[in-house]
Amino acid sequence: MNDCLFCKIVAKEFPAEIVYETGRTLAFRDIKPQAPTHVLVIPKAHHADAAALAQADDGLADEVLKSAHEVAVIDGVAEEGYRIVFNTGPAAGQTVFHVHAHVLGGRDLTWPPG
């Protein structure tokens, strides 16, 4: 999608601090972090939200989750604990309509989240 910020990051047309990359996923630091570890994990292919990702094809959602865990390992929060969040739709707080998992960690995360 021509106007999608995350598609531009995948295409290397917009800068981002890349943390981890596979053939089908990309992970980069959030520009407004809410925790010491706050990394966004996206599929390189454009899917609007988590519902679209779930229907995309076999294995892509799994790859996003595996990449999220690898980010937690890289950032040293895997053993202590981390949170993976998908906001789906405007009422849930989704502002960029390219599905992305937030990987949050490095501090105590309260519940409910907000």
Side-chain angles (χ1 to χ4, degrees):
M1 303 208 56
N2 294 338
D3 61 341
C4 174
L5 173 62
F6 290 175
C7 287
K8 289 179 182 182
I9 290 172
V10 169
K12 310 291 192 238
E13 296 171 359
F14 194 87
E17 185 181 343
I18 306 300
V19 174
Y20 183 72
E21 184 171 4
T22 69
R24 298 200 315 162
T25 68
L26 184 69
F28 51 92
R29 300 217 181 269
D30 194 294
I31 61 170
K32 294 182 183 176
Q34 302 300 307
T37 291
H38 190 169
V39 176
L40 305 179
V41 180
I42 66 171
K44 290 180 177 180
H46 184 90
H47 301 284
D49 56 28
L53 176 64
Q55 296 177 354
D57 66 73
D58 289 339
L60 186 56
D62 182 55
E63 285 187 45
V64 170
L65 288 175
K66 286 179 179 177
S67 292
H69 175 69
E70 188 59 33
V71 164
V73 170
I74 289 167
D75 263 28
V77 298
E79 288 188 32
E80 179 179 299
Y82 60 97
R83 182 173 291 163
I84 301 171
V85 177
F86 288 91
N87 297 322
T88 301
Q94 185 178 6
T95 58
V96 177
F97 291 88
H98 182 127
V99 64
H100 52 286
H102 296 258
V103 179
L104 300 153
R107 68 169 173 82
D108 288 341
L109 301 168
T110 61
W111 196 262

